[in-house]
Amino acid sequence: MYRIGFGNDIHRLEKDKPLILGGVRVESEFGAVGHSDADALFHAVTDAIFGALALGDIGSHFSDQDERWKNADSLTFLSEAARLMKEKAFRVVNVDSVINLETPKLRPHIDLMRENLARALEIEIDRVSVKAKTGEKVDAVGSRLAIKTEAVVLLEKKL
Ligand code: MG
């Protein structure tokens, strides 16, 4: 049996904040604002897994009102989604994702993000796709006000 899941995320950008994406600290003039470490890629993939399992969303598992998750490493969220997935005897077939960010160029960091996702999900790196797009200088992404992410996952039930 297969299940598909979709997740997305948005975080506001501010000067002098860290920018963490897929567990990678990216040098950037603007960083993401959030309750946790604001890793918008991990958040979208986490939500996609919860979605595939119909287990609610990242906010229902890790409330942004909960002090425990303040400045939390978002790997914690992704790992919990992966744990619940395994508990239900599913595994990830593949992940595809998009990071929408105006600057900086993410190409040098993409493979490390893929590695981090692959390790957390216990799959080979060739099952993990991370793509990057700019906002073409329009909307909140193009105006460098926000970072947006999207992810889809396909899960397969182990026999
Ligand atoms: Mg988020």
Side-chain angles (χ1 to χ4, degrees):
M1 182 181 40
Y2 292 98
R3 304 288 296 256
I4 192 166
F6 171 71
N8 68 356
D9 199 21
I10 182 166
H11 282 264
R12 209 155 36 76
L13 295 176
E14 270 181 18
K15 276 203 174 199
D16 304 320
K17 295 274 183 190
L19 180 62
I20 297 166
L21 284 167
V24 179
R25 173 76 184 256
V26 175
E27 275 312 313
S28 171
E29 189 185 347
F30 296 91
V33 181
H35 183 66
S36 65
D37 67 2
D39 188 326
L41 181 58
F42 275 178
H43 292 183
V45 175
T46 301
D47 238 3
I49 294 169
F50 284 140
L53 299 168
L55 284 177
D57 57 35
I58 192 168
S60 61
H61 290 265
F62 305 102
S63 168
D64 64 4
Q65 307 298 313
D66 190 329
E67 280 301 307
R68 271 183 303 169
W69 313 125
K70 186 150 177 56
N71 300 318
D73 181 344
S74 294
L75 182 59
T76 310
F77 309 155
L78 183 62
S79 299
E80 174 62 5
R83 189 189 67 77
L84 289 167
M85 173 186 71
K86 278 168 78 174
E87 198 175 271
K88 289 184 172 290
F90 280 92
R91 65 182 162 211
V92 174
V93 177
N94 73 306
V95 182
D96 190 15
S97 61
V98 183
I99 301 168
N100 299 277
L101 182 69
E102 196 66 11
T103 57
K105 289 283 181 226
L106 296 174
R107 177 92 300 271
H109 307 287
I110 293 283
D111 283 343
L112 190 48
M113 295 177 197
R114 292 173 64 217
E115 255 176 55
N116 290 341
L117 283 165
R119 191 179 315 111
L121 300 174
E122 298 178 31
I123 53 176
E124 303 88 343
I125 193 167
D126 65 357
R127 291 170 181 265
V128 180
S129 161
V130 176
K131 310 195 294 294
K133 293 183 86 73
T134 73
E136 291 288 339
K137 297 191 167 64
V138 293
D139 80 10
V141 170
S143 308
R144 301 171 81 184
L145 295 172
I147 177 169
K148 286 190 194 179
T149 52
E150 289 124 15
V152 288
V153 299
L154 184 67
L155 307 187
E156 175 184 34
K157 189 136 191 168
K158 289 183 258 184
L159 297 175

